Amino acid sequence: MEKGELKRSILERIEKIDDVNRLSAIQTILNTLESEQISLEEVNDALETEDFSGYIKEWLKNM
């Protein structure tokens, strides 16, 4: 997936989220992405995960 496609995909999915807690978790991830290098594949895998809270918990455990 190209960088531009990935950005559009992320924005489209974020726009559909109504859960404040989930949006806060995504904000935390985005802040982390600014300070660390994360591969596009890892970001794409996160987008394909339906349960973001479960993904975030696992991601934090691995940090």
Side-chain angles (χ1 to χ4, degrees), residues 53-63:
S53 60
Y55 173 80
I56 293 166
K57 288 177 186 175
E58 285 298 316
W59 183 71
L60 289 173
K61 285 180 190 176
N62 293 326
M63 287 183 70

Side-chain angles (χ1 to χ4, degrees), residues 6-7 10 17 20 25 35-36 42 49 51 60:
L6 185 58
K7 284 182 179 181
I10 291 169
I17 298 173
V20 174
S35 63
E36 296 180 19
E42 289 174 305
T49 304
D51 180 12
L60 289 173

Side-chain angles (χ1 to χ4, degrees), residues 13-36:
R13 289 174 183 244
I14 289 173
E15 287 175 353
K16 295 177 184 176
I17 298 173
D18 291 328
D19 183 357
V20 174
N21 292 329
R22 191 170 283 190
L23 290 170
S24 294
I26 291 170
Q27 181 64 47
T28 301
I29 290 172
L30 293 175
N31 288 342
T32 302
L33 289 173
E34 288 179 357
S35 63
E36 296 180 19

Side-chain angles (χ1 to χ4, degrees), residues 35-55:
S35 63
E36 296 180 19
Q37 289 212 349
I38 306 294
S39 74
L40 292 179
E41 184 176 314
E42 289 174 305
V43 174
N44 191 43
D45 289 346
L47 289 174
E48 296 302 321
T49 304
E50 292 184 27
D51 180 12
F52 280 97
S53 60
Y55 173 80

